[in-house]
Amino acid sequence: MSELRELYQEVILDHNKNPRNFKKLDEHSHHANGHNPLCGDKLELFLEVEDDIIKEISFVGSGCAISTSSASLMTQFLKGKSIEDTKQYFEYFHDLVTGKQLSDDELEHLGKLAVFAGVQEFPARVKCASLSWHTLMNALDSTEQTAATE
Ligand code: ZN
């Protein structure tokens, strides 16, 4: 566990200092805003989805190191993934940060995101780590709703 904790701190520091995919997407098919009032984290997420595959994904915003690094890692991780897989990864990630036991297979699917298991020890930080994922789900849902009314 101490090895994971070290990796957790390393990854969070790195992605907070140098967030990946930190920009707006002028052309995007999905978009949502996320806010975690408990900590003050705010982010805006952009996705370009084509044929049910995430072609581009990016975010902007400001927040604590955990929310920023989680969003950065998430965008890096999800680029090129299908929407169906993405919804599954959301479930895995949610289980991971809320302290549910994941199988080795599920952990393997999460790759680098598994370092966020470290958040379990800090319950107040769970919302920081999962903000980008909840915003992602809202972004994916919002277009479906818009599409239904057209
Ligand atoms: Zn936060």
Side-chain angles (χ1 to χ4, degrees):
M1 193 62 192
S2 70
E3 227 173 84
L4 184 65
R5 194 175 298 140
E6 246 171 61
L7 185 63
Y8 166 71
Q9 284 167 350
E10 221 171 84
V11 167
I12 284 175
L13 286 176
D14 172 34
H15 279 262
N16 181 49
K17 208 168 132 193
N18 180 21
R20 320 300 200 269
N21 305 305
F22 192 81
K23 61 185 178 190
K24 291 189 176 185
L25 282 187
D26 290 336
E27 283 190 32
H28 55 264
S29 56
H30 298 71
H31 168 251
N33 284 292
H35 183 210
N36 170 21
L38 280 179
C39 179
D41 309 316
K42 280 184 182 165
L43 65 88
E44 201 175 350
L45 194 71
F46 302 87
L47 290 121
E48 176 67 14
V49 177
E50 230 185 275
D51 300 327
D52 283 330
I53 302 287
I54 297 175
K55 296 280 178 191
E56 276 295 334
I57 176 168
S58 72
F59 77 105
V60 293
S62 64
C64 66
I66 292 175
S67 71
T68 301
S69 59
S70 176
S72 171
L73 268 161
M74 182 190 81
T75 57
Q76 203 176 34
F77 179 78
L78 290 178
K79 207 183 277 189
K81 300 278 199 296
S82 72
I83 299 301
E84 202 188 331
D85 285 349
T86 295
K87 289 181 176 167
Q88 185 63 66
Y89 294 131
F90 169 77
E91 299 293 332
Y92 292 158
F93 188 81
H94 192 262
D95 286 350
L96 179 82
V97 294
T98 53
K100 288 212 185 82
Q101 194 72 41
L102 293 182
S103 71
D104 289 348
D105 194 45
E106 289 166 342
L107 274 177
E108 203 170 302
H109 276 299
L110 285 177
K112 231 190 213 177
L113 293 174
V115 299
F116 282 96
V119 172
Q120 291 167 28
E121 293 174 51
F122 311 96
R125 294 303 197 174
V126 171
K127 282 189 193 315
C128 301
S130 56
L131 176 66
S132 54
W133 286 87
H134 285 292
T135 309
L136 169 79
M137 287 300 129
N138 284 344
L140 292 176
D141 283 348
S142 64
T143 298
E144 281 165 27
Q145 282 167 12
T146 309
T149 57
E150 276 173 359

